[in-house]
Amino acid sequence: MRRKLVAILLVVFMLTSMLTIFMANWGENDAWEDRSINSIAGALNMTPQGVSLAQYIDVQKTHNTPLGDLLARGGAIKPYSLYNAEITEMCVVRLEDGSWVEFHQTATMPRVTNYVNAIDYLGHNILIRDVGGARVANVLGSPNIYGPLENVKRVLDVMEGNASSAKDDFEILKKARSAEFERLGVEEFADCFYLNIHQLESGRYQSIRVYQNPSMDKATDLTKLAETAPSHGLTYNIRQYDGYVIVTIIGEFEAVASEQP
């Protein structure tokens, strides 16, 4: 009887330990559990200041489309094996110092086993992982945060209200429109540049490009592109106000995607 009781207690202990590790890996925290990255603005709302480039992809919406196929071939979409779960949305952010951080939304709870250590920071469990021979940090939640340890900590600082986010640095986002693919960056030809690509119900594609204080050369180039657009099967609409030039391009995917920024 005593041996049976010990065996039962061991099983209970093992199950409790497994549940504790499982919950720690998921990283519960009511303060930010409901955050999402359903746009580039959503991701930048969790990103520390000093962003030079950000790229958002709605992986679900682009699946089995010409845009999704192009992104997959280019290696822009993270593999299933990263979380042992389907990634539905993601945003890659590059900072001015050349470092990076990523946000990933998954369809189901991530299952991560390849971690070598765990660190507590502001009540969040940061997993230290070996991915492709590189050491990275990961906080599992909604969304999952992925990148160098210091950048992951900086994201948590923003999410906990201890630091300002990068979203307020980009007034251009007020002129943007959410889409399944978005890109924002500081460019030589403008103070800031935003681009999105969206598949219309007709199957054709629309791209909106926003230039904040573009150079004279860029403004001239856009005028020339608009003039030659019909010969490429494209339609251009150019609007200018308050220091912004907003260009809407519609056409078949290859033509829209190959049109220069």
Side-chain angles (χ1 to χ4, degrees), residues 63-129:
H63 185 63
N64 285 335
T65 67
L67 175 58
D69 292 344
L70 179 63
L71 293 170
R73 289 198 304 271
I77 298 174
K78 294 295 183 182
Y80 180 94
S81 58
L82 185 63
Y83 294 106
N84 293 308
E86 179 189 356
I87 293 176
T88 56
E89 295 174 85
M90 59 177 289
C91 188
V92 180
V93 179
R94 184 169 297 279
L95 303 174
E96 291 173 347
D97 61 7
S99 63
W100 56 278
V101 68
E102 297 187 20
F103 301 93
H104 306 131
Q105 204 83 30
T106 54
T108 56
M109 190 175 290
R111 291 181 291 111
V112 172
T113 58
N114 59 332
Y115 66 94
V116 296
N117 195 11
I119 299 171
D120 179 84
Y121 185 73
L122 301 178
H124 299 279
N125 200 37
I126 303 178
L127 302 182
I128 308 302
R129 303 177 59 186

Side-chain angles (χ1 to χ4, degrees), residues 223-240:
T223 301
K224 292 179 179 177
L225 287 170
E227 292 173 351
T228 60
S231 64
H232 303 148
L234 297 171
T235 59
Y236 260 69
N237 179 280
I238 301 178
R239 293 173 290 153
Q240 301 182 46

Side-chain angles (χ1 to χ4, degrees), residues 11-217:
V11 170
V12 171
F13 174 78
M14 290 174 65
L15 289 174
T16 303
S17 299
M18 289 172 65
L19 180 60
T20 302
I21 293 172
F22 179 75
M23 293 305 293
N25 286 354
W26 177 239
E28 283 190 307
N29 190 303
D30 291 339
W32 59 278
E33 197 173 48
D34 60 348
R35 290 177 182 257
S36 63
I37 49 168
N38 55 10
S39 67
I40 205 167
L44 291 181
N45 198 39
M46 296 177 276
T47 304
Q49 293 179 308
V51 170
S52 63
L53 179 70
Q55 180 170 287
Y56 166 83
I57 303 171
D58 188 320
V59 181
Q60 275 190 327
K61 286 185 179 179
T62 60
H63 185 63
N64 285 335
T65 67
L67 175 58
D69 292 344
L70 179 63
L71 293 170
R73 289 198 304 271
I77 298 174
K78 294 295 183 182
Y80 180 94
S81 58
L82 185 63
Y83 294 106
N84 293 308
E86 179 189 356
I87 293 176
T88 56
E89 295 174 85
M90 59 177 289
C91 188
V92 180
V93 179
R94 184 169 297 279
L95 303 174
E96 291 173 347
D97 61 7
S99 63
W100 56 278
V101 68
E102 297 187 20
F103 301 93
H104 306 131
Q105 204 83 30
T106 54
T108 56
M109 190 175 290
R111 291 181 291 111
V112 172
T113 58
N114 59 332
Y115 66 94
V116 296
N117 195 11
I119 299 171
D120 179 84
Y121 185 73
L122 301 178
H124 299 279
N125 200 37
I126 303 178
L127 302 182
I128 308 302
R129 303 177 59 186
D130 281 324
V131 179
R135 188 64 56 90
V136 297
N138 216 172
V139 175
L140 305 183
S142 180
N144 306 297
I145 312 165
Y146 177 83
L149 177 59
E150 288 307 310
N151 287 348
V152 169
K153 287 182 175 181
R154 291 174 66 193
V155 168
L156 292 176
D157 285 336
V158 173
M159 296 173 76
E160 292 294 342
N162 300 327
S164 299
S165 75
K167 183 180 177 181
D168 294 336
D169 294 338
F170 294 99
E171 288 289 322
I172 196 170
L173 290 173
K174 295 179 180 179
K175 307 292 188 295
R177 183 182 299 174
S178 299
E180 54 266 43
F181 178 85
E182 298 180 85
R183 190 173 186 272
L184 178 148
V186 179
E187 303 285 354
E188 292 182 358
F189 52 76
D191 291 349
C192 192
F193 173 66
Y194 168 87
L195 172 152
N196 74 19
I197 300 178
H198 168 64
Q199 187 174 29
L200 302 171
E201 291 185 2
S202 65
R204 304 182 83 201
Y205 277 81
Q206 172 182 279
S207 177
I208 296 176
R209 289 108 186 271
V210 184
Y211 305 79
Q212 184 177 7
N213 297 321
S215 66
M216 289 298 295
D217 288 343

